[in-house]
Amino acid sequence: MTREMNTSKGITLKTLTKSTVWDVQENDIFRMLEVVDKDVELKEEMRRITDIIRSAFMIEEIKDNSNKLLLEKYTKQGYKVATIKVADDVKVTWAIKKRPISRVTDLTYENIRHITAAKLIEVLDRNFGGGWDSLSQSIQDIIESGFDISTTTLPKDRLHKKGGMYEKKVADGYEVLEVEKGTWVEAIFAKVKPEVIKPRMKFESHDEDNEDDELPEDDYNRPDEDDVELEEPDDDEINENNYRTTFDIDVTDDEDAESLSDFIADE
């Protein structure tokens, strides 16, 4: 087993997810893939790893890596091309390119936290027409999972009023997109939402030497108040209320008798 190649962000093929894959670039992918042929575990996980990479990168397998014109074609289109060894005596040439986020339909829960508010405004501006409400609810939910969004619609001459909402939001670090609606303007404000770290459960530790930690009294074998030992009554005091008879039952081995398991099975 070999030590796996790390990227500058500390991400490896074994820690790669459909979210963290957006943090790496084409060259990072090729560097991580350099150790696949030396790691048995990675070889077995190659299909899953490739699916993760494809969620953020376009991958083209080049069958003839001696075709210089084909290689130049991919390079001009922004692809990075490299040959990797994925198994013993098995090499493949990949051309990979990060998937662009240029339309609102490109936004996903996995990549929404990997773009800036300025980039989000750029994407919205490229797709807008009817304003925030023109977006589908699913797209709105994706955007709001990573950004604080607020909107206001005002006449053009009032939108930039001093001391108004527009000025306060911009001062607070929001990016803004203005969508004209006749003589009115809808302002859409966006700011990266801070990630919420889920608290982990903490268990209190008890110091064995702490004298204040008293063990509960063991009263498991203590008889209940009503569970008192009966005194043997005198012969003169025997009556129908305190008389009881005990007798032994002789148990003989019977090879033909059914066992408890047989009885349960018959039930």
Side-chain angles (χ1 to χ4, degrees):
M1 196 71 69
T2 61
R3 183 177 180 180
E4 193 179 2
M5 183 72 68
N6 290 278
T7 68
S8 57
K9 294 182 179 294
I11 301 171
T12 68
L13 288 181
K14 293 179 180 178
T15 62
L16 198 65
T17 67
K18 289 187 177 181
S19 177
T20 59
V21 71
W22 288 94
D23 282 325
V24 300
Q25 302 304 320
E26 294 87 352
N27 289 334
D28 296 321
I29 296 295
F30 284 128
R31 282 198 296 270
M32 287 190 288
L33 290 171
E34 288 177 2
V35 299
V36 170
D37 69 309
K38 301 175 183 178
D39 193 313
V40 175
E41 185 178 343
L42 288 177
K43 288 180 184 178
E44 296 175 349
E45 292 286 311
M46 196 58 196
R47 182 183 294 275
R48 181 187 64 82
I49 292 171
T50 302
D51 288 341
I52 292 174
I53 297 174
R54 286 186 185 278
S55 70
F57 292 85
M58 294 178 287
I59 302 177
E60 297 289 341
E61 184 175 346
I62 301 176
K63 300 294 184 180
D64 182 10
N65 59 9
S66 63
N67 189 332
K68 293 184 179 181
L69 291 178
L70 183 61
L71 297 179
E72 289 179 2
K73 172 187 173 183
Y74 281 110
T75 301
K76 289 179 179 179
Q77 293 178 2
Y79 284 80
K80 298 292 184 180
V81 181
T83 299
I84 54 176
K85 187 177 181 181
V86 295
D88 296 337
D89 300 324
V90 178
K91 294 183 179 181
V92 295
T93 300
W94 274 4
I96 65 174
K97 179 182 177 181
K98 195 74 166 283
R99 291 187 182 277
I101 301 175
S102 56
R103 300 169 297 178
V104 291
T105 52
D106 295 327
L107 298 172
T108 66
Y109 284 107
E110 288 76 24
N111 66 27
I112 191 63
R113 285 191 171 275
H114 298 276
I115 62 173
T116 63
K119 176 63 177 179
L120 175 64
I121 292 299
E122 177 188 323
V123 172
L124 294 178
D125 188 28
R126 188 177 295 116
N127 291 268
F128 257 58
W132 176 254
D133 289 336
S134 68
L135 292 173
S136 67
Q137 186 62 51
S138 60
I139 295 297
Q140 289 184 15
D141 290 343
I142 289 172
I143 294 173
E144 290 182 325
S145 71
F147 293 87
D148 282 322
I149 300 293
S150 58
T151 66
T152 185
T153 303
L154 294 170
K156 289 182 179 180
D157 58 349
R158 290 181 52 192
L159 181 62
H160 295 274
K161 184 180 179 180
K162 188 174 182 179
M165 180 179 181
Y166 189 105
E167 185 177 280
K168 291 178 180 179
K169 287 288 187 182
V170 172
D172 196 27
Y174 282 79
E175 296 287 339
V176 59
L177 173 64
E178 298 181 28
V179 182
E180 292 193 8
K181 297 182 176 181
T183 59
W184 292 63
V185 176
E186 178 181 3
I188 302 166
F189 304 95
K191 183 179 180 180
V192 174
K193 184 181 292 184
E195 290 194 58
V196 177
I197 301 176
K198 296 181 180 179
R200 296 182 178 180
M201 293 181 64
K202 293 183 178 180
F203 298 92
E204 295 183 1
S205 58
H206 295 279
D207 188 352
E208 295 180 357
D209 298 329
N210 191 346
E211 297 180 358
D212 295 334
D213 293 342
E214 297 182 0
L215 293 174
E217 186 177 355
D218 183 9
D219 56 1
Y220 178 81
N221 294 317
R222 177 179 295 174
D224 295 331
E225 294 180 0
D226 296 333
D227 187 15
V228 295
E229 184 178 356
L230 294 176
E231 296 181 0
E232 291 295 333
D234 296 333
D235 291 341
D236 296 338
E237 297 177 357
I238 294 177
N239 55 52
E240 61 181 359
N241 293 323
N242 60 26
Y243 178 75
R244 63 180 179 178
T245 301
T246 59
F247 53 93
D248 296 328
I249 299 177
D250 292 334
V251 180
T252 59
D253 295 335
D254 186 355
E255 295 180 355
D256 296 330
E258 294 180 331
S259 68
L260 178 59
S261 61
D262 293 333
F263 175 74
I264 294 174
D266 291 339
E267 287 292 308

